[in-house]
Amino acid sequence: MNLIEYEAKALLSAASIPTPKGVRITKRQSDAPFLPAVLKSQVPVGGRGKAGGIIVAKTEEEFADAHAKIFSLAIKDHLPKSLLVEELLSISKEFYLSALVDRDSMSIMILANRHGGIEVEDNHDFEHWTINDRSDADTIGQAIADYYQLPDKTFVLQDIIERLFDCLVKNDATLVEINPLILTDDGKLIAGDAKMILDDAASFRHDWQFEATAAETNFVTINQEGNVATIANGAGLAMATVDAAYAAGLTPANFLDIGGGASTETLLAAFERIVTYPNVQAIIINVFAGITKADEVAKAIVAAREQIDTLPPLFIRIAGTNYELAKKILDDAGVSLTPTLEDCLFAAKGALDA
């Protein structure tokens, strides 16, 4: 699940990471809560600044104009339901900082760049550190202070790293990104913008009340010549599915995390993309339903079988929210389920070896 900025910043604030003073407003709230202010479109995608979704207002008239403009501006097909109005910071420097689950090393990584902001994707000189627990924060904070060339902010950065790690782990996030991490003219380090992705597979551990927005589908080609494709929800479950396929002697063509809140249309699009791989002879589906409901997955499976002539055999494990409804949908369509991922992989291996 991809959080909207105001939701991510609420979790950062709860972890005691400094954020700008801000107020979330709806379309009906057109009066400025304070001035000067920065109005920011609250949509679950990047590129807001370049698209015109972030505007500085210094007068009531500018605020009203910005309010009307942003609420009518669709960014990547998303119209905002609310705006985040924040204090205008005096910026000295902007940095990049994030914590994420790294599949390759099976660890949590801290990433940093001396240059943050809207052009960060053009930077290639990222530094990274593995963090195993909170005790590593002091060493990493010292290294980042040196890297940022902010020796007088060593203690502050050590605290931020510790809290960033805590925020990632406590919330079952796969990514907590601060971009930019702002150094203000008066020497404060503040999270100017935030992005957070939560692992949908961990939703049963939380009483999440966030806007139901799906994370952008994480579809990665691993091996164009692979003999099986994988579909899972949540980065952790998707990684585990790919690793289990390798362990079973299969060659995954892809890594696919369908995210939280995936719809029948989203899932059908994933199937259509998978059948473009030339050697895929089976699809492994491993879903623990939470925000992504089991019946939505079942409907997509039925639709894919009806609409895609070249669809290879499906080996399906589903559990969680609306499982009974999903089972009925699949039973009615003559599609069988397997109780565990191991059973899926065993059956798929047998089919490929036949």
Side-chain angles (χ1 to χ4, degrees):
M1 179 166 54
N2 185 23
L3 299 192
I4 297 174
E5 180 189 8
Y6 77 88
E7 297 170 327
K9 281 184 171 175
L11 294 183
L12 289 183
S13 293
S16 299
I17 295 174
T19 61
K21 179 181 72 173
V23 178
R24 177 175 166 243
I25 64 171
T26 64
K27 196 170 185 178
R28 294 182 179 180
Q29 297 169 287
S30 57
D31 294 334
F34 49 80
L35 289 169
V38 183
L39 292 79
K40 309 174 80 174
S41 179
Q42 295 301 283
V43 290
V45 292
R48 294 175 302 161
K50 290 182 178 179
I54 299 176
I55 300 176
V56 174
K58 297 183 179 180
T59 66
E60 292 284 357
E61 183 179 359
E62 289 178 353
F63 187 94
D65 289 345
H67 181 278
K69 180 179 179 180
I70 296 175
F71 268 116
S72 63
L73 178 67
I75 301 175
K76 298 180 182 178
D77 297 323
H78 292 275
L79 274 173
K81 298 177 182 178
S82 63
L83 305 185
L84 183 60
V85 181
E86 290 188 332
E87 63 179 316
L88 180 61
L89 299 174
S90 297
I91 300 172
S92 175
K93 293 181 180 179
E94 294 183 337
F95 305 97
Y96 175 92
L97 183 66
S98 68
L100 73 158
V101 176
D102 180 67
R103 177 183 177 277
D104 292 336
S105 63
M106 299 179 66
S107 63
I108 296 174
M109 304 290 293
I110 302 294
L111 267 66
N113 198 293
R114 291 193 187 96
H115 309 287
I118 62 174
E119 302 296 341
V120 71
E121 65 272 12
D122 295 331
N123 297 331
H124 303 288
D125 55 339
F126 284 84
E127 293 291 331
H128 60 86
W129 299 262
T130 298
I131 181 166
N132 297 305
D133 54 49
R134 301 170 88 244
S135 64
D136 294 329
D138 284 354
T139 301
I140 296 172
Q142 173 71 66
I144 291 177
D146 293 342
Y147 173 65
Y148 284 165
Q149 299 177 353
L150 298 176
D152 59 327
K153 301 300 176 188
T154 297
F155 294 149
V156 175
L157 285 164
Q158 288 171 336
D159 287 343
I160 289 176
I161 297 304
E162 181 178 303
R163 293 164 185 172
L164 194 65
F165 174 81
D166 287 346
C167 186
L168 183 94
V169 173
K170 179 180 178 181
N171 293 292
D172 281 302
T174 59
L175 172 69
V176 182
E177 178 183 88
I178 301 173
N179 181 40
L181 175 65
I182 293 172
L183 176 67
T184 63
D185 286 343
D186 58 356
K188 296 177 182 177
L189 284 171
I190 297 176
D193 198 355
K195 176 179 180 179
M196 192 176 298
I197 300 176
L198 306 183
D199 189 345
D200 184 44
S203 62
F204 69 96
R205 287 200 288 261
H206 302 272
D207 182 25
W208 284 334
Q209 300 295 324
F210 301 114
E211 292 187 30
T213 57
E216 294 179 35
T217 300
N218 187 2
F219 194 118
V220 178
T221 295
I222 300 172
N223 185 339
Q224 185 71 30
E225 304 302 320
N227 57 11
V228 297
T230 66
I231 297 177
N233 65 312
L237 192 62
M239 293 175 192
T241 303
V242 168
D243 291 340
Y246 275 123
L250 300 167
T251 305
N254 72 305
F255 168 97
L256 174 55
D257 166 18
I258 59 174
S263 65
T264 300
E265 292 73 20
T266 301
L267 291 162
L268 188 57
F271 282 116
E272 290 172 344
R273 191 167 175 184
I274 282 170
V275 297
T276 64
Y277 291 117
N279 297 323
V280 166
Q281 302 172 54
I283 300 177
I284 309 299
I285 300 172
N286 186 24
V287 171
F288 189 93
I291 295 173
T292 298
K293 303 295 190 295
D295 57 307
E296 286 291 338
V297 177
K299 291 174 186 175
I301 290 169
V302 173
R305 281 165 53 89
E306 292 174 349
Q307 298 177 33
I308 303 175
D309 294 336
T310 57
L311 193 72
L314 307 177
F315 300 88
I316 309 161
R317 176 260 182 180
I318 297 178
T321 305
N322 291 357
Y323 167 77
E324 293 298 334
L325 180 56
K327 186 176 186 305
K328 184 178 186 309
I329 291 170
L330 294 173
D331 284 346
D332 291 346
V335 179
S336 61
L337 289 169
T338 52
T340 68
L341 174 60
E342 289 72 20
D343 292 327
C344 281
L345 296 169
F346 181 80
K349 186 70 162 60
L352 267 63
D353 290 344

